[in-house]
Amino acid sequence: ETGVTQTPRHLVMGMTNKKSLKCEQHLGHNAMYWYKQSAKKPLELMFVYNFKEQTENNSVPSRFSPECPNSSHLFLHLHTLQPEDSALYLCASSHPGLGPRGDTGELFFGEGSRLTVL
Amino acid sequence: GNSVTQMEGPVTLSEEAFLTINCTYTATGYPSLFWYVQYPGEGLQLLLKATKADDKGSNKGFEATYRKETTSFHLEKGSVQVSDSAVYFCALTTNAGNMLTFGGGTRLMVKP
């Protein structure tokens, strides 16, 4: 148990569906992240939120829409996805970096949401 | 830009064998280096880290030394167990915003 909870754990959707992934953390962190993990590819950072503000969008297609209503919750809204979007979507949280040599780098990950797009 | 290169897996070992998983990096600036581990069905968790040259990170019998001269951060363990079977990710960050760059991951399989 890392303190980061993702739901649902598994999701199957058609290309015309609209669905959402949810992430919740009770670790007191102010930074939250969405990563995509595909088979045989490096972990891809999608979005970063610091203090509820989006600070990074790593050229993610608009069919993925993040939402961060507060520092404890992060959503990923999915719309008109493609089969190649099937992957494990990982949420993570952390304290924002405290300085160049400060307490950086420890991300706390959820167990992921396994998405299959038919 | 930043990049991390890991040896491709899977790495298959017998229990009590010695483990090395190679990791090399390129970075703009002075990176902090990390190893994360992903057990089956779980998310990633931090295994160890090192923030400056010649530092050695260690945890659960695993070690890695920050080698600036060879831009490497190889993961080692003297005697692996079946429970160490997992995917291991090398990663780095060069800024205060925890923007980690991950390697491709190396799957370790330990047989009894």
Side-chain angles (χ1 to χ4, degrees):
Chain A
E1 176 59 48
T2 64
V4 180
T5 304
Q6 291 188 241
T7 54
R9 292 292 309 278
H10 300 273
L11 177 63
V12 179
M13 59 187 290
M15 289 190 285
T16 57
N17 291 157
K18 288 184 182 181
K19 297 287 184 183
S20 296
L21 306 180
K22 178 182 176 182
C23 177
E24 185 173 358
Q25 58 91 7
H26 297 289
L27 300 171
H29 293 160
N30 285 304
M32 296 189 77
Y33 312 77
W34 280 116
Y35 279 88
K36 177 182 179 182
Q37 187 176 29
S38 306
K40 301 186 186 301
K41 292 178 68 175
L43 214 60
E44 299 173 58
L45 177 65
M46 300 175 72
F47 301 104
V48 181
Y49 279 81
N50 280 288
F51 297 95
K52 302 187 297 178
E53 298 297 319
Q54 188 181 123
T55 55
E56 183 78 14
N57 176 339
N58 199 23
S59 302
V60 181
S62 60
R63 58 186 183 270
F64 295 91
S65 174
E67 179 190 1
C68 189
N70 55 61
S71 293
S72 298
H73 294 86
L74 184 65
F75 295 88
L76 188 62
H77 303 300
L78 315 170
H79 178 49
T80 59
L81 296 191
Q82 305 297 313
E84 60 264 29
D85 296 322
S86 298
L88 182 68
Y89 289 85
L90 291 165
C91 174
S93 71
S94 76
H95 291 295
L98 301 178
R101 314 308 303 173
D103 184 21
T104 59
E106 182 160 12
L107 301 185
F108 292 77
F109 283 84
E111 294 178 328
S113 293
R114 173 74 61 188
L115 173 66
T116 302
V117 182
L118 302 177
Chain B
N2 297 339
S3 69
V4 177
T5 302
Q6 293 180 232
M7 58 191 295
E8 285 198 28
V11 173
T12 303
L13 296 173
S14 297
E15 207 163 23
E16 299 184 1
F18 184 85
L19 168 72
T20 300
I21 300 178
N22 290 337
C23 171
T24 57
Y25 66 89
T26 58
T28 53
Y30 198 134
S32 294
L33 303 174
F34 308 86
W35 278 100
Y36 277 77
V37 58
Q38 185 177 30
Y39 297 104
E42 299 183 13
L44 281 71
Q45 55 186 279
L46 180 67
L47 180 61
L48 54 84
K49 69 178 183 182
T51 58
K52 61 182 188 294
D54 300 324
D55 270 3
K56 177 184 285 187
S58 61
N59 186 25
K60 299 182 181 180
F62 291 89
E63 294 182 339
T65 301
Y66 189 143
R67 300 288 188 200
K68 195 167 187 289
E69 65 278 11
T70 55
T71 62
S72 64
F73 193 54
H74 304 321
L75 183 68
E76 297 182 336
K77 186 174 185 181
S79 176
V80 293
Q81 306 300 312
V82 173
S83 58
D84 294 326
S85 298
V87 182
Y88 292 82
F89 294 88
C90 187
L92 68 84
T93 183
T94 55
N95 63 37
N98 289 338
M99 301 291 290
L100 284 173
T101 299
F102 285 90
T106 302
R107 181 175 299 277
L108 170 65
M109 299 171 60
V110 181
K111 298 183 176 180

